[in-house]
Amino acid sequence: KQKLTKFSDIDAKCHQFTMLHKGKTAKQLADEFGIKLNGKKDACQRLVIKMFGSDAKSINRVKDFSEIGLTAKTITLTSEGEKTEDMKMFQIDFDEWCNTETTFDEQIDSPESHYSEAYSFFTEQSFLFIIFEEPYKGKKIPIEKCKFKGFKRYSFQESFINEDVRKTWNEVRRLVFTKELKEEKSNRGYAPNFPKMKDNLFFVRGSGKDSSVKKPHLEKWGIDIKMYVQWAWVKGEYIVSQFIDIVSYNYNV
């Protein structure tokens, strides 16, 4: 197996895979690679892991990706090329996020300062979006019927990082430091009033199996609200808007 040591190697391999597999359904790919999909959400990632000749348990443990600072994310579009869901990015560590000594980005006059994980996450790595598409309009379309369309290697724009990510980062800290964080009714019960998807490209949303896993993650700041583990997300429409140059699904980086 050829070792991929730089982005141009990944680009060439992605181009090769796109030419070989573009248009095939997940079921056809699963049969080809000898794996069972079982209708699970991570099925598309497992297919790509096999494409790269790896037996890793998750896509970001594929050495070809991790060793060159590349984070892979699968995204499934509707039959009309629109988003099907928002993209989960990283779990929030409130000890880090709300550290008063942390600055959002690097400080020129203080190179030893600690800058935020939110900033480093988007600036210090490239992303490889693996694109599948639903075959027709509808709800609960089986993963097996979704078609592989190609790859998009992408780096988030400075304007997104410096405006949208910074805005949400600051607002989370403000809510915590001023103790204005509170529970609000949502369509899934009650949730903290962190920046929501409705008003932000970069937002915060909790994730958990049921309410029994809720914990008071912010006790050290005098906030005893029980909540799910909180994650940083990017709005799906924004991600898809960055694919304009591959609407026809020609491979492009």
Side-chain angles (χ1 to χ4, degrees):
K1 177 178 174 289
Q2 178 190 2
K3 186 175 176 61
L4 309 180
T5 59
K6 51 187 183 294
F7 286 140
S8 58
D9 293 338
I10 294 284
D11 294 345
K13 189 61 73 172
C14 287
H15 181 63
Q16 176 188 344
F17 292 150
T18 302
M19 295 301 100
L20 282 172
H21 302 301
K22 177 182 172 184
K24 293 179 183 177
T25 65
K27 175 65 165 61
Q28 289 172 321
L29 290 171
D31 290 344
E32 189 170 329
F33 294 126
I35 63 175
K36 293 182 180 180
L37 295 180
N38 299 327
K40 294 184 178 179
K41 197 172 182 180
D42 67 348
C44 293
Q45 288 199 11
R46 291 171 57 213
L47 293 173
V48 175
I49 289 171
K50 285 295 183 181
M51 279 188 200
F52 279 86
S54 174
D55 292 318
K57 296 297 184 183
S58 71
I59 199 162
N60 287 308
R61 292 184 180 178
V62 175
K63 284 188 176 181
D64 288 338
F65 298 158
S66 61
E67 289 182 356
I68 62 173
L70 187 67
T71 295
K73 298 278 187 182
T74 54
I75 184 166
T76 303
L77 306 180
T78 67
S79 58
E80 296 179 329
E82 298 174 346
K83 71 99 176 183
T84 57
E85 58 186 8
D86 302 306
M87 187 169 286
K88 183 189 283 187
M89 287 300 183
F90 61 89
Q91 183 177 327
I92 293 174
D93 175 359
F94 286 106
D95 285 344
E96 187 279 331
W97 194 302
C98 296
N99 186 333
T100 55
E101 297 181 0
T102 299
T103 57
F104 174 71
D105 56 7
E106 298 175 86
Q107 303 296 299
I108 296 175
D109 58 348
S110 182
E112 299 301 318
S113 66
H114 174 70
Y115 54 90
S116 70
E117 179 188 7
Y119 177 79
S120 63
F121 182 85
F122 289 104
T123 58
E124 295 178 2
Q125 60 188 333
S126 228
F127 293 80
L128 182 69
F129 294 129
I130 302 147
I131 306 167
F132 284 78
E133 184 183 74
E134 295 177 343
Y136 50 81
K137 285 185 179 181
K139 295 182 178 179
K140 296 184 178 179
I141 295 172
I143 290 172
E144 289 83 356
K145 294 185 178 182
C146 293
K147 294 181 178 180
F148 173 67
K149 290 296 181 180
F151 301 85
K152 172 69 174 178
R153 184 162 62 78
Y154 178 76
S155 295
F156 280 86
Q157 298 175 5
E158 286 186 15
S159 58
F160 171 79
I161 299 168
N162 291 323
E163 295 170 19
D164 297 283
V165 177
R166 184 193 297 268
K167 181 180 77 168
T168 293
W169 186 81
N170 280 328
E171 178 60 7
V172 169
R173 285 162 63 90
R174 187 192 71 79
L175 289 168
V176 172
F177 295 158
T178 61
K179 295 183 174 54
E180 291 181 41
L181 192 72
K182 59 184 180 181
E183 286 189 297
E184 294 180 333
K185 189 168 179 56
S186 69
N187 57 3
R188 294 187 292 180
Y190 287 86
N193 60 330
F194 288 124
K196 300 289 192 295
M197 178 267 291
K198 179 171 66 74
D199 303 308
N200 301 275
L201 297 183
F202 179 67
F203 62 96
V204 176
R205 181 190 293 162
S207 181
K209 293 180 179 179
D210 57 64
S211 59
S212 67
V213 299
K214 287 186 172 183
K215 295 180 180 179
H217 295 279
L218 292 164
E219 282 184 311
K220 68 160 57 177
W221 290 275
I223 298 171
D224 62 359
I225 297 173
K226 290 184 178 180
M227 64 184 77
Y228 293 119
V229 170
Q230 299 295 306
W231 292 77
W233 297 70
V234 174
K235 197 169 184 176
E237 284 92 345
Y238 177 78
I239 297 290
V240 174
S241 74
Q242 305 306 295
F243 298 163
I244 295 299
D245 59 349
I246 56 166
V247 167
S248 61
Y249 303 106
N250 293 317
Y251 173 76
N252 195 320
V253 288

